[in-house]
Structure formats: structure tokens, C-alpha cells
């Protein structure tokens, strides 16, 4: 109450006497006025001072609840947020040397088959050679072509993972998402056609199953239902969806930058986690 009265009281009323002539100071009240001036300063400080806020103690959340909160925040700002992680990550690379060699083999056998089929065989027919010789020459061009196509078509050169906005907030959130890895997460497996052209097969990770076919060349197969659904969306002249894949063990692919150390461009640890989950899911389904 005393401080409020000081705030409302005029402090200079005793400093300038109203009974004295204008512009004359009453020196008798000067010490008291200085004291009141100090009290007024303290009063103003109390009037305009803000009460210090006490820190609110938040309850500690579990890692799962923290991940949910971060996921909700990421979904709320999905349109305007600059994500730290890319939407598509390369998680497997078979190796540049292996891919280049396989592409050269495919193209070479293709030219070889075309040479025997369209050049040598017509020459034998025109020269009226025996039929068994003509057939043997044709097989010399066709057998390598079909053999290479059969054994190399499942070869997977790249694997990409498509991340939802929830997993792209930061690296720790990405690691938690990968270790959980929902079966609906989409993967894109890249293979090569007969002319070494890339073929992209997009599917859910839950549709992949470990297998051992074609003398061990194929080690993963895709559910037939997903392949049938994808074939329905394709034109009649397009190639059918791939169902057999061969993912070989490969080292980490590195790109050497000029003047800098090699930078790893492959998130190989993601494929390692996905591979272990695919195998565990297959064992669980067999046990059930």
C-alpha cells in the first residue's frame, strides 16, 4: 500500500513551493525531496518489475512417446519443413565394376546372337547347307543369349528406400524408424533388361521373402499378389513385373571427391536391418 501511494503521489510538490514566487525553490525541503526521489525510484522498479516465472517441470517421456510427438510435429509441418534426410536413399549398390561387366556381357551376347541369326544363318540357307548345320549355327547365337538372360535377369544393381515424412526429420528419428521398419515401407529394386536397360520394381518390404532358386542365383522372391496388381496397371507391350531377385553381397560404394576424402553414398546399414527383418519374418511365418 505504501508503494502504491508513493506511485500516485507527486514527488516534486514539496520541492517547488506554491506559496513562493514563481521559479523559486524551497531549499528547506530539499533533503526530504531527495529521500522521496529515491523511494519513488524503488516504487517504480516494484511497479514495473515482472515476477520471475518458475520453470515448469515436464514429465519425462519414454523414447516411443518422444518419437510419436516428433512424428506428429513432422506431419503437421510436412508442406513447409526442410527435411534433414532425403526422401529416397540408396541402401544397396552391387558395385560399379560388377554392374559394368554384366552390362557388357549382355550387350555382347545380344550382338553375337544377332550376328549368327541375321547374317550367318541366311548365308547357310542361301548356300543350301544341310539343315543340321544351319540349326547348329542358329543355336550358337541363341543359346548364349538365352543363357545370359536367364542367369543375369534377377541381378539387383541398386536398392532404394522411400521414406515417409515421419522418418525424414533427423538422423536419430531415421534410425528409430529403420529399427522398427513397418512392412508397408516401399523399396525399389533395380535390375537390368536384356539390353542392359534399368528396370525398376517398387514393392513393400513385407512382400519380399528369402528363397533359393536358379542354382542359388535368386535369393529373394516377391509375393505373387503384388506382382499381379502391378501387371494390371501396365500396358500390354510393357515387360511383366519382376518376381525373382538376386541380391549379392557387395562392398560399400564410395565416390572420391576431388581434393577431399571419399564420401560414402550408400546407407548400407539400412539394408542390413531390412535383410535381418525379412529373414526373421520368414522364420516366424514358417513356425506359425
Amino acid at each position: 500500500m505504501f508503494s502504491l501511494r508513493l506511485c500516485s503521489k507527486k514527488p516534486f510538490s514539496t520541492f517547488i513551493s506554491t506559496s513562493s514566487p514563481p521559479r523559486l525553490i524551497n531549499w528547506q525541503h530539499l533533503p526530504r525531496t531527495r529521500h522521496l526521489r529515491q523511494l519513488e525510484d524503488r516504487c517504480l522498479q516494484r511497479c514495473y518489475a515482472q515476477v520471475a516465472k518458475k520453470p515448469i517441470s515436464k514429465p519425462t517421456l519414454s523414447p516411443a512417446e518422444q518419437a510419436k510427438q516428433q512424428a506428429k510435429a513432422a506431419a503437421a509441418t510436412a508442406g513447409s519443413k526442410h527435411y534433414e534426410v532425403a526422401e529416397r536413399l540408396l541402401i544397396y549398390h552391387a558395385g560399379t565394376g560388377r554392374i559394368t561387366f554384366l552390362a557388357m556381357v549382355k550387350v555382347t551376347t545380344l550382338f553375337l546372337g544377332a550376328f549368327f541369326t541375321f547374317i550367318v544363318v541366311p548365308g547357310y540357307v542361301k548356300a543350301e547347307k544341310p539343315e543340321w548345320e544351319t540349326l547348329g549355327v542358329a543355336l550358337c547365337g541363341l543359346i548364349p543369349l538365352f543363357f545370359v538372360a536367364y542367369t543375369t535377369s534377377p541381378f539387383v544393381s541398386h536398392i532404394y528406400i522411400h521414406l515417409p515424412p515421419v522418418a525424414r526429420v533427423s538422423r536419430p528419428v531415421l534410425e528409430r524408424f529403420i529399427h522398427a521398419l513397418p512392412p508397408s515401407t516401399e523399396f525399389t529394386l533395380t535390375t537390368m533388361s536384356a539390353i542392359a536397360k534399368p528396370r525398376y520394381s517398387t514393392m513393400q518390404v513385407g512382400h519380399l521373402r528369402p528363397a533359393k532358386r536358379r542354382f542359388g542365383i535368386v535369393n529373394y522372391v516377391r509375393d505373387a499378389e503384388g506382382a499381379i496388381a502391378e501387371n494390371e496397371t501396365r500396358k500390354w507391350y510393357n515387360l511383366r513385373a519382376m518376381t525373382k531377385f538376386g541380391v549379392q553381397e557387395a562392398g560399400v560404394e564410395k565416390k572420391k571427391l576431388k581434393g577431399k576424402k571419399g564420401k560414402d553414398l550408400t546407407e548400407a546399414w539400412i539394408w542390413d536391418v531390412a535383410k535381418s527383418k525379412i529373414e526373421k519374418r520368414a522364420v516366424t511365418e514358417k513356425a506359425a
Side-chain angles (χ1 to χ4, degrees), residues 145-223:
L145 180 62
F146 286 109
F147 177 77
V148 171
Y150 180 78
T151 56
T152 61
S153 59
F155 175 77
V156 176
S157 58
H158 303 78
I159 298 179
Y160 296 91
I161 183 174
H162 300 268
L163 297 174
V166 173
R168 298 171 55 199
V169 179
S170 62
R171 298 292 299 187
V173 176
L174 173 63
E175 293 177 1
R176 287 195 292 268
F177 175 81
I178 294 301
H179 287 294
L181 197 63
S184 60
T185 306
E186 290 188 347
F187 278 21
T188 297
L189 282 71
T190 306
T191 55
M192 286 189 290
S193 63
I195 58 174
K197 182 181 178 181
R199 293 183 62 183
Y200 302 101
S201 303
T202 302
M203 68 202 72
Q204 296 181 0
V205 66
H207 292 170
L208 284 175
R209 297 290 183 274
K212 190 176 182 181
R213 301 180 184 177
R214 293 191 188 182
F215 310 103
I217 298 174
V218 175
N219 52 9
Y220 288 97
V221 294
R222 180 185 182 183
D223 288 347

Side-chain angles (χ1 to χ4, degrees), residues 11-12 14-15 26 29-38:
F12 296 101
T14 57
F15 184 71
N26 190 355
H29 300 287
L30 184 59
R32 181 182 177 186
T33 304
R34 291 178 179 175
H35 180 67
L36 292 175
R37 180 69 177 273
Q38 295 177 356

Side-chain angles (χ1 to χ4, degrees), residues 73-85:
T77 59
S80 61
K81 188 176 182 60
H82 297 284
Y83 296 103
E84 184 178 344
V85 183

Side-chain angles (χ1 to χ4, degrees), residues 70-276:
Q70 292 178 356
K72 291 180 180 179
T77 59
S80 61
K81 188 176 182 60
H82 297 284
Y83 296 103
E84 184 178 344
V85 183
E87 181 180 359
R88 192 179 73 161
L89 293 179
L90 177 65
I91 62 176
Y92 172 83
H93 192 279
T96 304
R98 187 181 298 178
I99 296 172
T100 305
F101 174 77
L102 193 59
M104 292 177 63
V105 170
K106 282 178 171 289
V107 174
T108 301
T109 53
L110 181 64
F111 280 109
L112 184 64
F115 173 76
F116 277 92
T117 304
F118 298 105
I119 297 177
V120 178
V121 171
Y124 270 65
V125 173
K126 187 177 181 180
E128 297 182 356
K129 296 288 184 179
E131 294 181 358
W132 64 271
E133 290 186 6
T134 305
L135 181 62
V137 171
L139 292 177
C140 288
L142 295 177
I143 289 177
L145 180 62
F146 286 109
F147 177 77
V148 171
Y150 180 78
T151 56
T152 61
S153 59
F155 175 77
V156 176
S157 58
H158 303 78
I159 298 179
Y160 296 91
I161 183 174
H162 300 268
L163 297 174
V166 173
R168 298 171 55 199
V169 179
S170 62
R171 298 292 299 187
V173 176
L174 173 63
E175 293 177 1
R176 287 195 292 268
F177 175 81
I178 294 301
H179 287 294
L181 197 63
S184 60
T185 306
E186 290 188 347
F187 278 21
T188 297
L189 282 71
T190 306
T191 55
M192 286 189 290
S193 63
I195 58 174
K197 182 181 178 181
R199 293 183 62 183
Y200 302 101
S201 303
T202 302
M203 68 202 72
Q204 296 181 0
V205 66
H207 292 170
L208 284 175
R209 297 290 183 274
K212 190 176 182 181
R213 301 180 184 177
R214 293 191 188 182
F215 310 103
I217 298 174
V218 175
N219 52 9
Y220 288 97
V221 294
R222 180 185 182 183
D223 288 347
E225 296 179 359
I228 293 173
E230 185 176 349
N231 288 330
E232 292 178 354
T233 61
R234 296 191 176 191
K235 302 293 183 181
W236 62 270
Y237 52 83
N238 293 132
L239 296 174
R240 300 296 89 187
M242 292 285 296
T243 57
K244 301 177 179 65
F245 304 95
V247 183
Q248 309 299 325
E249 295 294 334
V252 178
E253 181 70 14
K254 293 185 178 181
K255 179 181 178 181
K256 294 183 179 179
L257 303 177
K258 187 177 181 180
K260 296 182 179 180
K261 296 181 179 180
K263 184 178 180 180
D264 187 6
L265 301 178
T266 307
E267 301 285 349
W269 64 275
I270 297 179
W271 171 243
D272 294 336
V273 175
K275 182 169 57 174
S276 63

